[in-house]
Amino acid sequence: MKPAEVPGLLLDLLKRFLRWATEKIVIVVLSCTSLVCLIFPAVFPKLALWQRIWKDHIKARIAAMWTGNSPHRRSSGLRPEASKFHMPSPMCLIENRDSNLVVCPEALQVLSKIDQPVVVVAIAGLYRTGKSFLMNKLAGKNKGFLLGSTVEAVTKGIWMWCVPYPGKPDQTLVLLDTEGLDDAKKGDVQNDSWIFVLAVLLSSTLVYNSMGVIDQHAIDQLHYVTELTERIKSKSSPAEDSEALEDSAEYVRFFPSFVWALRDFTLQLQLNGQPCTEDEYLEEMLKLKKGSDDPSSEPTDNVAPADSSANCPVPSDTHDIQRYNLTRECIRLFFPTRKCFIFDRPTNRKNLDRLEDLQDSELDPEFLEQAERFCDHIYETSKAKTVPGGNIVTGCMLAKLVETYVDTICSGGVPCVENAVESLARMENSAALNEAIARYVELMEQKVKLPTETLQELLDMHAESETEALNVFMDRAFRNDIGQSQAELMKIVHQKKEEYLLKNELKSSECCKSILTPLFKELDDRINQGIYFQSGGYQNFLDDLKTIKEQYRQKNGKGIMAEEVLQQFLKEREVVGKHILQGDEALTKAEKELADAKAKAEEEEQKKEAQKQELAALQLKLEDQCRTFEANIQQLKEKLERDREQQLEETKRMLDSKLREQKKFLEEGYESYASRLQVEMDQLTQRDQYIGNSSWIFKILFGLLNAITFIFPELLQFAIRAIMRLL
């Protein structure tokens, strides 16, 4: 480093230190203020409100301060390190062509290349309400999804943008911008409903975007939620068990988190004259109303917003009350979590037609702060997309789900999540099988140098490659029908192993013959010249054979067929040796008989040794097959136990969601809703007990046992022994 560069470097370090220190001081001040608000909420009501709004934000910043890994830290205006996959601009995923939904193959190809888990954030709402602008903010861009500056809708169908996920390089963020709902020019309500259904089914977080306050009109515009029971099936057929959960009660298992974004919100957030948070405002607007004939219709102390324009008028008759409650009930019961954000207008009306070209400095500071809180919440809380059972969805799997759901809708059917998961499982298990086989072959080609000196050496390399291939399979395979695919994997790997064993023998035989042929050439020449057919020739013949065998056995790289090929060469010259023996005049008759008996004894000994080696090889192969079986059983058992933990965790999230809602219903005085949720929770608890029981795991294990012993009947006794050890 040159001396002239030192002052500049010190100045840069000083600037970095000051920025770091300033951030820490701000965080500490915010934390202290938050603590004061927690202790004295009544003394500082506005500060208490501020604290509730920023609670999660501050919590994340404080945690990051001690870890040094802040999710909000910027570097040259960019988000933190993210996943490597990047699309330069959005593209159409599902085209709305003449009121028919058509999947775009180019978009599916893009998704199919993403082998990472995907976090899918979809936005839905009325047309011309600024959905695309908000999604561009999530992408960290000003331009991307098309913005419209007129009263006409711009986005048609569902558009997709796969972008790096801030702070999570092992995941990809997939943003879905959907066509605006209730566009009068379309005149097709069915089409809107299906687009909303797809947004729900494909996303892990659903943002509903609307203008202004949450009043009855805003609730009515969200009527698509009430149609979900007719447009989404959890299971392919109604459960025969009378105690099974209703289909819609399963929605909370796989529905996305719900975020309501209120745009151009101009009112003061107050309830009963007191400041409130956005979430408290949302919860107030989602409260149900009681009618005069409601058995639990005693007056409640529900707080109403001070501003009448934000209030939802109480309906008078029973039918109106049911209609009033239906959308609210569906939002509360279907979605596992909900959140609300309010946004000021991003800029003045004159600049709205050029939002894409405006810099952040030209946007309203309040809006920028609100947008940042919104984006941070999405980044921090959105989970990877999963399907029932807890399996995480990759880009390739998401492409399959898109195809499955759209094909079902276009054929006049109702999307069924169970059928979609089964179809996905078949695809993934098939892909896992092919990937595992390819990995096995790749590793064997890298490891194996034929011929191997021993059979055990080749079997060891096979075992290592098979274990890695099995890990590849288990990492990708679904529990559905996994036993059948795993048995097929074992069968194909076994066939591949046999091919390598045969190649090893052939290569070894080839090497041995290449060594023995020149060694025996001189011997054969002597035989042809009649050198051994004279007095004392038999002993010379035996001495030359001994020399050849000694020279041969000193050679390396012969492989496992070394002795067998040698015996073949010796066998071919056995008849000639007998002729030499009988024609040797130097030997008496008794000596010839003794030599002949000795040769036969050696031949018999060689046969016994060959049989012994063959039995040893068979024993090694059988032991290897037993090892394969036990490893497969153990791997499957461990995977099923991991899947069980996923299912238990999934059920726990369902129970927690229903328990939270039950508590709210009880606080509001709706015992009938609380009782219904209690029944559902009892049914989930029973399911939990079944999942926690190991019996279903061993049913699958015994299914694999049957498949394997059909392929390898000689392993039956070892298979039963392995299962009993696991039991």
Side-chain angles (χ1 to χ4, degrees), residues 276-527:
C276 68
T277 66
E278 296 134 304
D279 291 340
E280 290 169 343
Y281 172 68
L282 174 62
E283 294 305 308
E284 182 65 28
M285 294 300 99
L286 292 181
K287 285 184 177 179
L288 308 184
K289 298 298 182 183
K290 299 179 180 179
S292 57
D293 57 346
D294 192 320
S296 58
S297 60
E298 299 175 4
T300 60
D301 294 329
N302 291 347
V303 183
D307 194 308
S308 60
S309 63
N311 195 7
C312 298
V314 180
S316 56
D317 58 62
T318 303
H319 176 74
D320 288 342
I321 289 176
Q322 291 176 348
R323 186 176 63 84
Y324 177 94
N325 287 340
L326 184 57
T327 302
R328 293 169 170 82
E329 177 186 343
C330 292
I331 294 174
R332 295 177 64 167
L333 296 179
F334 292 171
F335 296 96
T337 62
R338 52 186 179 269
K339 182 77 175 173
C340 181
F341 287 93
I342 63 171
F343 298 87
D344 290 353
R345 179 173 290 178
T347 185
N348 59 62
R349 185 180 297 274
K350 294 180 180 179
N351 289 331
L352 290 178
D353 61 345
R354 58 185 192 92
L355 273 177
E356 291 182 337
D357 301 321
L358 296 181
Q359 300 298 318
D360 283 354
S361 59
E362 300 177 83
L363 297 177
D364 183 87
E366 288 292 327
F367 174 83
L368 288 175
E369 181 183 321
Q370 294 158 349
E372 182 176 356
R373 284 202 304 116
F374 168 78
C375 292
D376 288 340
H377 172 81
I378 297 297
Y379 296 145
E380 292 165 11
T381 64
S382 293
K383 307 295 184 183
K385 173 67 179 172
T386 60
V387 293
N391 294 93
I392 295 177
V393 174
T394 62
C396 182
M397 295 162 67
L398 182 63
K400 180 64 176 178
L401 287 177
V402 171
E403 274 191 300
T404 301
Y405 289 140
V406 174
D407 287 347
T408 302
I409 293 171
C410 292
S411 64
V414 174
C416 174
V417 175
E418 184 180 53
N419 289 345
V421 173
E422 288 178 357
S423 176
L424 196 61
R426 286 193 295 271
M427 181 194 75
E428 282 298 292
N429 288 344
S430 176
L433 175 62
N434 294 332
E435 189 176 340
I437 294 170
R439 182 59 175 161
Y440 172 81
V441 173
E442 177 189 11
L443 290 174
M444 287 295 284
E445 292 297 320
Q446 292 175 359
K447 295 174 182 290
V448 176
K449 304 298 180 185
L450 299 179
T452 60
E453 288 300 320
T454 64
L455 174 62
Q456 187 64 59
E457 182 183 347
L458 180 58
L459 291 177
D460 287 344
M461 288 185 284
H462 156 74
E464 294 173 2
S465 303
E466 184 184 40
T467 300
E468 177 65 22
L470 188 56
N471 290 335
V472 169
F473 175 80
M474 288 298 178
D475 285 343
R476 185 166 184 177
F478 269 45
R479 183 174 67 87
N480 307 57
D481 301 325
I482 188 175
Q484 181 179 353
S485 298
Q486 188 177 357
E488 184 68 16
L489 173 64
M490 292 181 65
K491 177 182 177 181
I492 295 175
V493 169
H494 176 73
Q495 292 171 347
K496 296 288 184 183
K497 179 190 73 172
E498 292 298 319
E499 291 175 7
Y500 278 105
L501 291 175
L502 179 59
K503 289 179 181 179
N504 193 37
E505 292 179 358
L506 293 175
K507 186 66 176 177
S508 176
S509 297
E510 181 183 331
C511 292
C512 293
K513 289 177 182 179
S514 66
I515 296 173
L516 286 171
T517 298
L519 291 177
F520 271 89
K521 185 179 184 305
E522 185 175 354
L523 180 76
D524 292 338
D525 290 342
R526 287 174 177 269
I527 292 173

Side-chain angles (χ1 to χ4, degrees), residues 178-364:
T178 67
E179 180 175 335
L181 307 174
D182 287 351
D183 185 355
K185 289 189 176 182
K186 288 190 298 185
D188 189 347
V189 179
Q190 295 288 329
N191 193 258
D192 281 351
S193 297
W194 286 126
I195 288 177
F196 187 81
V197 164
L198 288 170
V200 170
L201 288 175
L202 298 176
S203 64
S204 47
T205 297
L206 176 67
V207 180
Y208 180 72
N209 192 74
S210 68
M211 302 294 289
V213 299
I214 303 177
D215 54 15
Q216 189 56 41
H217 179 63
I219 294 288
D220 290 340
Q221 289 176 330
L222 194 45
H223 63 87
Y224 300 98
V225 177
T226 67
E227 302 170 7
L228 294 177
T229 54
E230 300 174 358
R231 299 184 182 275
I232 296 177
K233 291 196 299 184
S234 300
K235 300 187 178 297
S236 56
S237 58
E240 297 179 359
D241 185 1
S242 59
E243 295 185 356
L245 285 174
E246 292 182 9
D247 206 55
S248 61
E250 293 276 1
Y251 286 176
V252 72
R253 180 185 298 276
F254 56 87
F255 265 33
S257 300
F258 182 82
V259 177
W260 197 326
L262 298 173
R263 309 296 295 278
D264 295 0
F265 191 90
T266 58
L267 301 179
Q268 292 293 323
L269 276 177
Q270 289 187 349
L271 292 176
N272 199 25
Q274 295 296 320
C276 68
T277 66
E278 296 134 304
D279 291 340
E280 290 169 343
Y281 172 68
L282 174 62
E283 294 305 308
E284 182 65 28
M285 294 300 99
L286 292 181
K287 285 184 177 179
L288 308 184
K289 298 298 182 183
K290 299 179 180 179
S292 57
D293 57 346
D294 192 320
S296 58
S297 60
E298 299 175 4
T300 60
D301 294 329
N302 291 347
V303 183
D307 194 308
S308 60
S309 63
N311 195 7
C312 298
V314 180
S316 56
D317 58 62
T318 303
H319 176 74
D320 288 342
I321 289 176
Q322 291 176 348
R323 186 176 63 84
Y324 177 94
N325 287 340
L326 184 57
T327 302
R328 293 169 170 82
E329 177 186 343
C330 292
I331 294 174
R332 295 177 64 167
L333 296 179
F334 292 171
F335 296 96
T337 62
R338 52 186 179 269
K339 182 77 175 173
C340 181
F341 287 93
I342 63 171
F343 298 87
D344 290 353
R345 179 173 290 178
T347 185
N348 59 62
R349 185 180 297 274
K350 294 180 180 179
N351 289 331
L352 290 178
D353 61 345
R354 58 185 192 92
L355 273 177
E356 291 182 337
D357 301 321
L358 296 181
Q359 300 298 318
D360 283 354
S361 59
E362 300 177 83
L363 297 177
D364 183 87

